[in-house]
Amino acid sequence: DAMVIQNPRYQVTQFGKPVTLSCSQTLNHNVMYWYQQKSSQAPKLLFHYYDKDFNNEADTPDNFQSRRPNTSFCFLDIRSPGLGDAAMYLCATSRRLGTGGSEKLFFGSGTQLSVL
Amino acid sequence: GDSVTQMEGPVTLSEEAFLTINCTYTATGYPSLFWYVQYPGEGLQLLLKATKADDKGSNKGFEATYRKETTSFHLEKGSVQVSDSAVYFCALSDPGGSYIPTFGRGTSLIVHP
């Protein structure tokens, strides 16, 4: 089945040690998103790619970076994780419509990041 | 800009009770409206959607009707089950605005046996 896959499911890193989270999709969607979700809160959009165009949210810390080497893959890099970066990270995809707007989002199962 | 407002939770119900979770929106155009559900420890998944006024989305016993006159998209279920315990997010996608979907803050539902 076509889907959005995130690896790993759980990631433990040390304070200040760079970490990379991965996302792949088989849907051939042109938009890929990274969300941060802390306990009992709505997902917070960090950035997204529309094809190769990178779009950073204004309040996303510089500590967070992203790469999209091709349509199928997208990575979230946290250069120096702090304790406050412990959260669930959700990858999602959608197809942007030619008339504007987008179809529904398809989410991966998320990566739960712990920072020790 | 576009926004979605959901009722605050948690909503706590007994099994077989009737459920309503309120959602209202503000948008510049004629948005598509969605309900997503997030079960514990998982990502969000689409529950139902409606793309134009008076459309009713339905899935797994849940329903929501797109009410343009009241800018609302309330989620309802006639008889909830313990397995419905989750967080529910209302969202919109507005062709007249950004293509980035806008989410509400989520409403936690807890169903007791």
Side-chain angles (χ1 to χ4, degrees), chain A residues 93-113:
Chain A
T93 71
S94 72
R95 187 166 67 95
R96 182 177 175 182
L97 303 175
T99 54
S102 66
E103 295 182 336
K104 66 180 183 180
L105 268 64
F106 289 79
F107 283 85
S109 296
T111 294
Q112 183 68 50
L113 178 68

PDB file of all heavy atoms in Angstrom, chain A residues 93-113:
ATOM      1  N   THR A  93       2.351  14.254   3.964  1.00  0.00           N
ATOM      2  CA  THR A  93       2.414  14.605   2.553  1.00  0.00           C
ATOM      3  C   THR A  93       1.028  15.011   2.068  1.00  0.00           C
ATOM      4  O   THR A  93       0.005  14.647   2.674  1.00  0.00           O
ATOM      5  CB  THR A  93       2.905  13.423   1.691  1.00  0.00           C
ATOM      6  OG1 THR A  93       1.880  12.425   1.628  1.00  0.00           O
ATOM      7  CG2 THR A  93       4.169  12.805   2.260  1.00  0.00           C
ATOM      8  N   SER A  94       1.013  15.763   0.992  1.00  0.00           N
ATOM      9  CA  SER A  94      -0.252  16.090   0.349  1.00  0.00           C
ATOM     10  C   SER A  94       0.024  16.432  -1.098  1.00  0.00           C
ATOM     11  O   SER A  94       1.167  16.650  -1.503  1.00  0.00           O
ATOM     12  CB  SER A  94      -0.968  17.247   1.054  1.00  0.00           C
ATOM     13  OG  SER A  94      -0.321  18.475   0.809  1.00  0.00           O
ATOM     14  N   ARG A  95      -1.042  16.513  -1.849  1.00  0.00           N
ATOM     15  CA  ARG A  95      -0.921  16.919  -3.250  1.00  0.00           C
ATOM     16  C   ARG A  95      -1.548  18.297  -3.382  1.00  0.00           C
ATOM     17  O   ARG A  95      -2.725  18.476  -3.086  1.00  0.00           O
ATOM     18  CB  ARG A  95      -1.630  15.912  -4.138  1.00  0.00           C
ATOM     19  CG  ARG A  95      -1.422  16.139  -5.626  1.00  0.00           C
ATOM     20  CD  ARG A  95      -1.853  14.913  -6.409  1.00  0.00           C
ATOM     21  NE  ARG A  95      -3.286  14.687  -6.331  1.00  0.00           N
ATOM     22  CZ  ARG A  95      -4.164  15.115  -7.231  1.00  0.00           C
ATOM     23  NH1 ARG A  95      -3.750  15.831  -8.258  1.00  0.00           N
ATOM     24  NH2 ARG A  95      -5.441  14.855  -7.100  1.00  0.00           N
ATOM     25  N   ARG A  96      -0.713  19.240  -3.770  1.00  0.00           N
ATOM     26  CA  ARG A  96      -1.237  20.588  -3.967  1.00  0.00           C
ATOM     27  C   ARG A  96      -2.026  20.616  -5.253  1.00  0.00           C
ATOM     28  O   ARG A  96      -1.564  20.133  -6.287  1.00  0.00           O
ATOM     29  CB  ARG A  96      -0.112  21.609  -4.028  1.00  0.00           C
ATOM     30  CG  ARG A  96      -0.623  23.037  -4.192  1.00  0.00           C
ATOM     31  CD  ARG A  96       0.485  24.058  -4.175  1.00  0.00           C
ATOM     32  NE  ARG A  96      -0.046  25.387  -4.449  1.00  0.00           N
ATOM     33  CZ  ARG A  96       0.702  26.482  -4.540  1.00  0.00           C
ATOM     34  NH1 ARG A  96       2.000  26.416  -4.369  1.00  0.00           N
ATOM     35  NH2 ARG A  96       0.144  27.640  -4.783  1.00  0.00           N
ATOM     36  N   LEU A  97      -3.224  21.199  -5.174  1.00  0.00           N
ATOM     37  CA  LEU A  97      -4.105  21.252  -6.329  1.00  0.00           C
ATOM     38  C   LEU A  97      -3.769  22.438  -7.214  1.00  0.00           C
ATOM     39  O   LEU A  97      -3.345  23.489  -6.728  1.00  0.00           O
ATOM     40  CB  LEU A  97      -5.558  21.340  -5.862  1.00  0.00           C
ATOM     41  CG  LEU A  97      -6.026  20.204  -4.954  1.00  0.00           C
ATOM     42  CD1 LEU A  97      -7.429  20.468  -4.459  1.00  0.00           C
ATOM     43  CD2 LEU A  97      -5.930  18.865  -5.656  1.00  0.00           C
ATOM     44  N   GLY A  98      -3.969  22.276  -8.495  1.00  0.00           N
ATOM     45  CA  GLY A  98      -3.670  23.358  -9.426  1.00  0.00           C
ATOM     46  C   GLY A  98      -4.518  24.594  -9.185  1.00  0.00           C
ATOM     47  O   GLY A  98      -4.112  25.712  -9.479  1.00  0.00           O
ATOM     48  N   THR A  99      -5.676  24.403  -8.610  1.00  0.00           N
ATOM     49  CA  THR A  99      -6.581  25.521  -8.356  1.00  0.00           C
ATOM     50  C   THR A  99      -6.335  26.160  -6.999  1.00  0.00           C
ATOM     51  O   THR A  99      -7.068  27.052  -6.582  1.00  0.00           O
ATOM     52  CB  THR A  99      -8.042  25.030  -8.404  1.00  0.00           C
ATOM     53  OG1 THR A  99      -8.180  23.930  -7.499  1.00  0.00           O
ATOM     54  CG2 THR A  99      -8.394  24.575  -9.800  1.00  0.00           C
ATOM     55  N   GLY A 100      -5.299  25.678  -6.299  1.00  0.00           N
ATOM     56  CA  GLY A 100      -5.063  26.193  -4.950  1.00  0.00           C
ATOM     57  C   GLY A 100      -5.590  25.228  -3.922  1.00  0.00           C
ATOM     58  O   GLY A 100      -6.345  24.311  -4.246  1.00  0.00           O
ATOM     59  N   GLY A 101      -5.238  25.403  -2.675  1.00  0.00           N
ATOM     60  CA  GLY A 101      -5.635  24.457  -1.654  1.00  0.00           C
ATOM     61  C   GLY A 101      -4.887  23.146  -1.824  1.00  0.00           C
ATOM     62  O   GLY A 101      -4.040  22.999  -2.709  1.00  0.00           O
ATOM     63  N   SER A 102      -5.183  22.205  -1.000  1.00  0.00           N
ATOM     64  CA  SER A 102      -4.535  20.906  -1.124  1.00  0.00           C
ATOM     65  C   SER A 102      -5.511  19.821  -0.690  1.00  0.00           C
ATOM     66  O   SER A 102      -6.487  20.086   0.010  1.00  0.00           O
ATOM     67  CB  SER A 102      -3.256  20.848  -0.277  1.00  0.00           C
ATOM     68  OG  SER A 102      -3.561  20.917   1.096  1.00  0.00           O
ATOM     69  N   GLU A 103      -5.238  18.630  -1.155  1.00  0.00           N
ATOM     70  CA  GLU A 103      -6.019  17.493  -0.702  1.00  0.00           C
ATOM     71  C   GLU A 103      -5.624  17.153   0.732  1.00  0.00           C
ATOM     72  O   GLU A 103      -4.777  17.773   1.329  1.00  0.00           O
ATOM     73  CB  GLU A 103      -5.787  16.319  -1.640  1.00  0.00           C
ATOM     74  CG  GLU A 103      -6.301  16.580  -3.047  1.00  0.00           C
ATOM     75  CD  GLU A 103      -6.116  15.386  -3.956  1.00  0.00           C
ATOM     76  OE1 GLU A 103      -5.233  14.563  -3.692  1.00  0.00           O
ATOM     77  OE2 GLU A 103      -6.839  15.289  -4.945  1.00  0.00           O
ATOM     78  N   LYS A 104      -6.233  16.110   1.225  1.00  0.00           N
ATOM     79  CA  LYS A 104      -5.996  15.719   2.610  1.00  0.00           C
ATOM     80  C   LYS A 104      -4.527  15.380   2.822  1.00  0.00           C
ATOM     81  O   LYS A 104      -3.795  15.036   1.890  1.00  0.00           O
ATOM     82  CB  LYS A 104      -6.847  14.511   2.954  1.00  0.00           C
ATOM     83  CG  LYS A 104      -6.460  13.259   2.196  1.00  0.00           C
ATOM     84  CD  LYS A 104      -7.341  12.092   2.569  1.00  0.00           C
ATOM     85  CE  LYS A 104      -6.918  10.822   1.858  1.00  0.00           C
ATOM     86  NZ  LYS A 104      -7.764   9.670   2.205  1.00  0.00           N
ATOM     87  N   LEU A 105      -4.115  15.463   4.064  1.00  0.00           N
ATOM     88  CA  LEU A 105      -2.761  15.088   4.433  1.00  0.00           C
ATOM     89  C   LEU A 105      -2.707  13.607   4.785  1.00  0.00           C
ATOM     90  O   LEU A 105      -3.629  13.055   5.393  1.00  0.00           O
ATOM     91  CB  LEU A 105      -2.295  15.892   5.646  1.00  0.00           C
ATOM     92  CG  LEU A 105      -1.554  17.199   5.361  1.00  0.00           C
ATOM     93  CD1 LEU A 105      -2.465  18.178   4.675  1.00  0.00           C
ATOM     94  CD2 LEU A 105      -0.978  17.776   6.634  1.00  0.00           C
ATOM     95  N   PHE A 106      -1.615  13.001   4.405  1.00  0.00           N
ATOM     96  CA  PHE A 106      -1.303  11.639   4.824  1.00  0.00           C
ATOM     97  C   PHE A 106      -0.137  11.735   5.798  1.00  0.00           C
ATOM     98  O   PHE A 106       0.919  12.267   5.449  1.00  0.00           O
ATOM     99  CB  PHE A 106      -0.910  10.776   3.627  1.00  0.00           C
ATOM    100  CG  PHE A 106      -2.054  10.443   2.721  1.00  0.00           C
ATOM    101  CD1 PHE A 106      -2.530  11.366   1.808  1.00  0.00           C
ATOM    102  CD2 PHE A 106      -2.652   9.196   2.776  1.00  0.00           C
ATOM    103  CE1 PHE A 106      -3.585  11.063   0.964  1.00  0.00           C
ATOM    104  CE2 PHE A 106      -3.712   8.879   1.928  1.00  0.00           C
ATOM    105  CZ  PHE A 106      -4.170   9.817   1.022  1.00  0.00           C
ATOM    106  N   PHE A 107      -0.339  11.204   6.983  1.00  0.00           N
ATOM    107  CA  PHE A 107       0.685  11.294   8.020  1.00  0.00           C
ATOM    108  C   PHE A 107       1.395   9.960   8.190  1.00  0.00           C
ATOM    109  O   PHE A 107       0.787   8.886   8.056  1.00  0.00           O
ATOM    110  CB  PHE A 107       0.056  11.666   9.370  1.00  0.00           C
ATOM    111  CG  PHE A 107      -0.296  13.112   9.509  1.00  0.00           C
ATOM    112  CD1 PHE A 107      -1.504  13.603   9.029  1.00  0.00           C
ATOM    113  CD2 PHE A 107       0.572  13.983  10.135  1.00  0.00           C
ATOM    114  CE1 PHE A 107      -1.831  14.939   9.157  1.00  0.00           C
ATOM    115  CE2 PHE A 107       0.247  15.322  10.284  1.00  0.00           C
ATOM    116  CZ  PHE A 107      -0.956  15.801   9.788  1.00  0.00           C
ATOM    117  N   GLY A 108       2.660  10.050   8.533  1.00  0.00           N
ATOM    118  CA  GLY A 108       3.361   8.886   9.037  1.00  0.00           C
ATOM    119  C   GLY A 108       3.003   8.656  10.495  1.00  0.00           C
ATOM    120  O   GLY A 108       2.273   9.449  11.108  1.00  0.00           O
ATOM    121  N   SER A 109       3.526   7.570  11.044  1.00  0.00           N
ATOM    122  CA  SER A 109       3.220   7.223  12.434  1.00  0.00           C
ATOM    123  C   SER A 109       4.011   8.042  13.432  1.00  0.00           C
ATOM    124  O   SER A 109       3.741   7.977  14.628  1.00  0.00           O
ATOM    125  CB  SER A 109       3.490   5.742  12.674  1.00  0.00           C
ATOM    126  OG  SER A 109       2.621   4.954  11.897  1.00  0.00           O
ATOM    127  N   GLY A 110       4.991   8.783  12.931  1.00  0.00           N
ATOM    128  CA  GLY A 110       5.736   9.666  13.809  1.00  0.00           C
ATOM    129  C   GLY A 110       7.001   9.046  14.364  1.00  0.00           C
ATOM    130  O   GLY A 110       7.152   7.812  14.404  1.00  0.00           O
ATOM    131  N   THR A 111       7.917   9.897  14.762  1.00  0.00           N
ATOM    132  CA  THR A 111       9.114   9.488  15.501  1.00  0.00           C
ATOM    133  C   THR A 111       9.086  10.191  16.851  1.00  0.00           C
ATOM    134  O   THR A 111       9.021  11.427  16.908  1.00  0.00           O
ATOM    135  CB  THR A 111      10.402   9.856  14.753  1.00  0.00           C
ATOM    136  OG1 THR A 111      10.486   9.108  13.549  1.00  0.00           O
ATOM    137  CG2 THR A 111      11.633   9.556  15.614  1.00  0.00           C
ATOM    138  N   GLN A 112       9.106   9.403  17.902  1.00  0.00           N
ATOM    139  CA  GLN A 112       9.130   9.966  19.252  1.00  0.00           C
ATOM    140  C   GLN A 112      10.581  10.197  19.649  1.00  0.00           C
ATOM    141  O   GLN A 112      11.350   9.237  19.784  1.00  0.00           O
ATOM    142  CB  GLN A 112       8.451   9.020  20.234  1.00  0.00           C
ATOM    143  CG  GLN A 112       8.376   9.556  21.660  1.00  0.00           C
ATOM    144  CD  GLN A 112       7.447  10.748  21.771  1.00  0.00           C
ATOM    145  OE1 GLN A 112       6.313  10.717  21.304  1.00  0.00           O
ATOM    146  NE2 GLN A 112       7.935  11.819  22.400  1.00  0.00           N
ATOM    147  N   LEU A 113      10.953  11.446  19.799  1.00  0.00           N
ATOM    148  CA  LEU A 113      12.337  11.796  20.119  1.00  0.00           C
ATOM    149  C   LEU A 113      12.483  12.074  21.607  1.00  0.00           C
ATOM    150  O   LEU A 113      11.733  12.878  22.177  1.00  0.00           O
ATOM    151  CB  LEU A 113      12.772  13.035  19.332  1.00  0.00           C
ATOM    152  CG  LEU A 113      14.184  13.532  19.622  1.00  0.00           C
ATOM    153  CD1 LEU A 113      15.226  12.542  19.119  1.00  0.00           C
ATOM    154  CD2 LEU A 113      14.412  14.913  19.013  1.00  0.00           C
TER     155      LEU A 113
END
